[in-house]
Amino acid sequence: MNPRSANLLGGQKAAEWVSHRERGSLRLLKIMAFLSLRCGRSATRVILYGIAIYFFLFGPSARRHSLQYLRLALGRPPTARDRFLQILCFATTIHDRVYLINGQFEKFNISVEGEDMVLAHEPKGHGALMLGSHMGSFEVMHSLSRRQHGLHVAMAMYEENARKIGGILAAINPNWIADIVALGQIDAMLNIAERLDQGAYVGVLADRTLGAEAVQAVTFLGQKAYVPTGPMRAAAILRCPVFFMAGLYRGKNNYHVMFERVADFSAMSVGSRDIAVRAAIERYVAILERCCRSDPYNWFNFFDFWRRPIGGGGQ
């Protein structure tokens, strides 16, 4: 496989969010996980509010970008309450990972939309690409695969994030084994193709660019934005169906998991690939925008999402 093919799911020059150093530490995560499992979800949510207040007060860059997003999603000037609820929603989904990764699904009321459509594809013997975003909780969606016998979900992500996520999962549950495909490697496409051939579903968060990679200009919440074309182009080359996925947090212990068909490249001709990819990206963005309107506080892209990536190619 040549470097161009490998770069379908990876970039060369880091984008703003890639180079941003995350706060926190694995030691803090281990302490929080220990307290959460020992004291329970209700008791440790008190600590969660403290963490949310800290980031609300001392995160100027995230606050600026949150204001930009909420103004578009809500269609009005956001209040301090709106901004705090977005941060609290983000903190809650991270906190709830502790229980989901440890198999404590009974703590949550999880509704599902579109699961039958996804499962109807399963007997065909070939997997599908599940395109998500930094919207809501991936872990609550992943928990469905752990409860559904024979449904295997792998996660493809940027290499550095893969290491971070591996460390986080080990901190929360040392016995947790995650199937993660590191993007940006020369064999990333081969690894994804292998899992698809085995009937697995491969999840990709497709709303962020890594830097100098091909992008497509779209209209998102009324403003021009740029989304990477790599994940959808990869699905077209691999000739697999594509589903949108999101695990939306809706207060207290309620989550709503949704799946929606985006495209099916299994019978597509090579000559129509570019048109089909562009149309599929537009549909993906339209579904994501609908989620932002219905569940605005679930958006966890705390950076300038609408800025064109430096060096990004494409339309």
Side-chain angles (χ1 to χ4, degrees):
M1 180 175 297
N2 60 43
R4 182 178 179 274
S5 298
N7 199 40
L8 283 173
L9 290 165
Q12 298 299 320
K13 186 173 182 179
E16 175 189 358
W17 69 269
V18 177
S19 58
H20 177 72
R21 185 174 180 179
E22 300 290 343
R23 301 185 187 184
S25 67
L26 289 181
R27 177 177 294 181
L28 179 61
L29 281 169
K30 289 180 179 179
I31 293 173
M32 192 64 187
F34 173 80
L35 291 175
S36 298
L37 293 173
R38 180 63 61 89
C39 303
R41 186 173 183 267
S42 297
T44 47
R45 276 183 66 80
V46 175
I47 304 175
L48 201 66
Y49 272 82
I51 294 173
I53 290 172
Y54 172 81
F55 281 97
F56 177 79
L57 295 174
F58 302 106
S61 176
R63 179 167 60 246
R64 183 173 65 255
H65 299 315
S66 174
L67 281 169
Q68 178 189 23
Y69 159 75
L70 287 171
R71 187 177 295 111
L72 297 174
L74 297 173
R76 59 172 173 79
T79 64
R81 179 179 180 273
D82 292 320
R83 292 190 290 112
F84 179 75
L85 286 176
Q86 186 187 15
I87 295 172
L88 182 63
C89 183
F90 179 45
T92 298
T93 60
I94 294 176
H95 181 225
D96 287 343
R97 280 184 184 178
V98 173
Y99 306 104
L100 293 166
I101 289 173
N102 281 279
Q104 298 183 19
F105 309 122
E106 71 283 353
K107 292 184 179 294
F108 303 99
N109 177 30
I110 303 174
S111 59
V112 186
E113 174 187 353
E115 184 179 22
D116 291 343
M117 172 187 61
V118 175
L119 293 178
H121 169 76
E122 186 183 357
K124 297 179 181 179
H126 190 71
L129 212 60
M130 309 289 286
L131 292 193
S133 64
H134 292 78
M135 181 90 188
S137 169
F138 171 75
E139 199 52 54
V140 73
M141 191 286 301
H142 197 201
S143 70
L144 295 179
S145 69
R146 297 172 64 193
R147 293 185 293 166
Q148 179 69 39
H149 178 69
L151 181 61
H152 178 66
V153 177
M155 191 64 192
M157 61 182 63
Y158 175 59
E159 185 177 10
E160 180 63 24
N161 276 8
R163 284 195 291 267
K164 289 179 182 177
I165 292 295
I168 290 171
L169 296 177
I172 294 174
N173 183 350
N175 298 319
W176 172 259
I177 299 176
D179 187 359
I180 298 177
V181 179
L183 300 180
Q185 297 293 322
I186 195 71
D187 59 349
M189 283 277 284
L190 291 175
N191 290 333
I192 291 174
E194 181 181 8
R195 284 162 175 78
L196 292 174
D197 288 341
Q198 294 169 351
Y201 293 85
V202 179
V204 181
L205 301 183
D207 55 332
R208 290 181 179 178
T209 68
L210 295 178
E213 62 186 290
V215 295
Q216 179 171 318
V218 297
T219 299
F220 179 64
L221 296 175
Q223 300 288 328
K224 180 179 284 190
Y226 303 88
V227 295
T229 62
M232 205 71 75
R233 288 166 58 210
I237 290 173
L238 294 170
R239 294 182 174 274
C240 66
V242 179
F243 297 94
F244 177 91
M245 63 176 184
L248 304 171
Y249 175 63
R250 292 186 168 173
K252 297 183 179 179
N253 67 334
N254 300 309
Y255 281 90
H256 180 68
V257 176
M258 61 168 290
F259 300 98
E260 192 162 335
R261 186 181 296 277
V262 175
D264 189 350
F265 295 107
S266 57
M268 181 199 63
S269 63
V270 175
S272 61
R273 179 184 295 167
D274 289 344
I275 295 175
V277 166
R278 286 196 295 270
I281 290 174
E282 291 285 353
R283 176 160 173 75
Y284 166 80
V285 170
I287 299 172
L288 179 58
E289 181 178 272
R290 195 168 72 236
C291 290
C292 290
R293 300 288 191 191
S294 65
D295 298 82
Y297 305 127
N298 276 259
W299 177 257
F300 304 146
N301 277 308
F302 295 100
F303 69 100
D304 188 358
F305 185 80
W306 286 265
R307 186 176 69 179
R308 185 184 180 96
I310 298 174
Q315 300 180 354

